[in-house]
Amino acid sequence: MSAGGPLAGITIVEIGRFITAPYAAMLLGDLGATVVKVEPVTGGDPFRQAGEPGISARFLAYNRNKQSIGLDLAADDGRVVLCRLLGDADVLIENFRPGVMAGFGLDYDRVAGEHPGLVYCSITGAGPDGPAASLPMYDAIGQGLSGLMAQLSEIEYPQPVGPALSDSITGMTAALAIQAALVERSRTGRGQYVQTSMIEATVSFLAEPAAHYFRTGEEQDWLTRPRQSQSFGFRAGDGRPFVIHLSSPLKFWHRLLAVVERPELDGDPRFSTYARRVKNYRELREELSTSFAGAGRDHWLKRFAEEDVPAAPVLTTSETFEHDQVRHLGLEVTLDGPDGLRVAGRGARLTSTPGRLRQPPAFGADTDAVLGRLGYSAAEVAGLRAAAVVG
């Protein structure tokens, strides 16, 4: 693989499935690292099997910029191959349940003993130990245990939300921590154990609800943030949705009243101060809803822009990628590769070291090349294949 990003020269070994570890490794691959994805020798990452022709959308979402090798870690020869691979690597990322890597003889202490410069990142559901550590963990479980779901849906009618927020937050947290560990290694020459979990990453993400609780003893809920930020969702007279976000500056409140031509609301005792508008959020929403029924969304968005009121349409995915600003930013990108696969672009740009975007590999597509780099002969690779150790 060609390099071209700030992490060029860094090799990541990912033993990952589903989202958390694959997403973390993909983010590092976007920045130029060489990522070798180690997949189960029988079938590969479960996200490959999605009932779609070719590369599934779920696999595509989290696995660009990688090489693929199939490897049976339950086999002695498979573990030997992995250890040789780690000898050529800078980072290992894995997202097995606690104890699985130790069962393979690949826990941090053993691996670090042979490869002291390796950054070893372990991603779990609820941490390496404790009363919930052995639970099967997926995104909805992470949302529920962390308190995230209570911030995004009514507690009386709990509803997991998408996309996979707890998974994605965890993957980003891992990628950030890995980069910090690599910086530290550049000073000391030694790697370290990096540990995160869906619970730790997601609870940490909920900084404002946590700070509010510890400060006041009060719980925030799914309406707290909209109330405090004075953000509202409406449908215009043509049925199309939009949002406004007034925040706390008084000017936006007054300009909104000018747009809807309702100056009397400023003198209404329910809405005459910011604190009262927060308290009477639902009543204010109802008052404004009646005003917006009189014209279509384009009319209101034009008036908001004229008055500098923060507002935007609520768009579907297809509408987002047709929006002029999204097009201007080039956020629909085509991956390098024969299939012309399109994805959402990266969320940040580095102008001097832009990195790369290459389509996900077919299962085991790089097995021969990776083993060749490790010094295996063609005959040895054939023997490993015959024994079903590699795929």
Side-chain angles (χ1 to χ4, degrees):
M1 272 186 188
S2 62
L7 295 183
I10 296 295
T11 297
I12 314 286
V13 174
E14 173 215 310
I15 311 177
R17 302 167 299 163
F18 300 112
I19 297 177
T20 54
Y23 188 39
M26 186 185 78
L27 293 174
L28 299 172
D30 285 353
L31 296 172
T34 296
V35 178
V36 180
K37 183 178 179 72
V38 176
E39 304 187 58
V41 73
T42 53
D45 187 320
F47 266 11
R48 287 187 179 274
Q49 315 302 321
E52 304 172 31
I55 297 173
S56 76
R58 287 189 293 176
F59 189 78
L60 171 63
Y62 304 108
N63 288 284
R64 63 177 177 253
N65 292 332
K66 298 181 183 181
Q67 301 173 354
S68 170
I69 174 173
L71 199 57
D72 182 5
L73 296 181
D76 290 342
D77 286 344
R79 293 191 294 275
V80 169
V81 172
L82 181 66
C83 288
R84 287 176 67 168
L85 184 57
L86 293 178
D88 201 36
D90 302 282
V91 179
L92 167 65
I93 307 175
E94 61 90 8
N95 66 342
F96 285 110
R97 288 198 201 187
V100 171
M101 289 292 280
F104 290 142
L106 296 168
D107 55 282
Y108 172 70
D109 289 338
R110 296 187 194 183
V111 171
E114 292 189 24
H115 310 291
L118 187 73
V119 173
Y120 185 121
C121 178
S122 177
I123 304 173
T124 57
D129 49 36
S134 63
L135 290 177
M137 293 285 291
Y138 290 93
D139 185 71
I141 312 305
Q143 288 189 30
L145 273 177
S146 67
L148 176 62
M149 196 179 302
Q151 297 296 314
L152 299 176
S153 72
E154 296 182 75
I155 200 72
E156 295 83 359
Y157 308 100
Q159 175 60 53
V161 298
L165 288 177
S166 189
D167 277 328
S168 299
I169 290 165
T170 306
M172 287 189 284
T173 299
L176 177 63
I178 288 166
Q179 290 176 87
L182 287 171
V183 171
E184 175 65 11
R185 192 188 67 165
S186 72
R187 301 188 186 111
T188 67
R190 296 193 63 82
Q192 62 180 292
Y193 185 49
V194 174
Q195 192 278 320
T196 188
S197 68
M198 294 173 69
I199 302 306
E200 291 165 281
T202 313
V203 168
S204 178
F205 178 77
L206 296 174
E208 187 173 341
H212 183 83
Y213 171 71
F214 290 126
R215 179 78 170 171
T216 68
E218 298 173 353
E219 297 275 8
Q220 295 190 338
D221 62 21
W222 70 288
L223 270 182
T224 301
R225 175 62 180 167
R227 288 178 187 273
Q228 293 178 341
S229 65
Q230 288 290 280
S231 49
F232 302 84
F234 298 105
R235 286 191 178 273
D238 57 6
R240 294 196 291 170
F242 64 93
V243 290
I244 60 174
H245 187 130
L246 302 179
S247 191
S248 55
L250 191 58
K251 63 180 181 179
F252 294 132
W253 165 243
H254 288 151
R255 290 172 182 176
L256 171 65
L257 297 184
V259 169
V260 298
E261 299 179 355
R262 296 284 304 277
E264 76 280 3
L265 291 179
D266 195 36
D268 188 314
R270 297 173 297 170
F271 315 129
S272 57
T273 67
Y274 167 77
R276 290 177 178 176
R277 291 191 289 277
V278 170
K279 179 180 178 181
N280 298 302
Y281 175 87
R282 292 179 185 270
E283 292 89 340
L284 178 55
R285 187 184 185 286
E286 289 303 314
E287 290 283 355
L288 294 172
S289 292
T290 61
S291 299
F292 292 128
R297 184 173 73 180
D298 289 346
H299 166 82
W300 294 118
L301 292 177
K302 181 174 182 294
R303 289 290 293 121
F304 291 142
E306 291 169 348
E307 295 291 339
D308 196 35
V309 176
V314 176
L315 303 179
T316 64
T317 301
S318 59
E319 291 171 333
T320 293
F321 285 101
E322 292 297 321
H323 191 275
D324 289 344
Q325 185 63 25
V326 174
R327 285 182 172 275
H328 173 76
L329 293 170
L331 287 171
E332 177 185 319
V333 298
T334 301
L335 300 178
D336 294 338
D339 299 323
L341 300 170
R342 295 178 296 162
V343 298
R346 292 172 295 211
R349 286 173 280 179
L350 285 75
T351 55
S352 297
T353 52
R356 64 191 174 214
L357 289 170
R358 183 173 177 177
Q359 77 174 51
F363 170 60
D366 305 284
T367 297
D368 289 355
V370 170
L371 294 181
R373 289 201 303 266
L374 298 177
Y376 284 89
S377 68
E380 288 173 318
V381 173
L384 291 171
R385 285 191 185 281
V389 172
V390 300

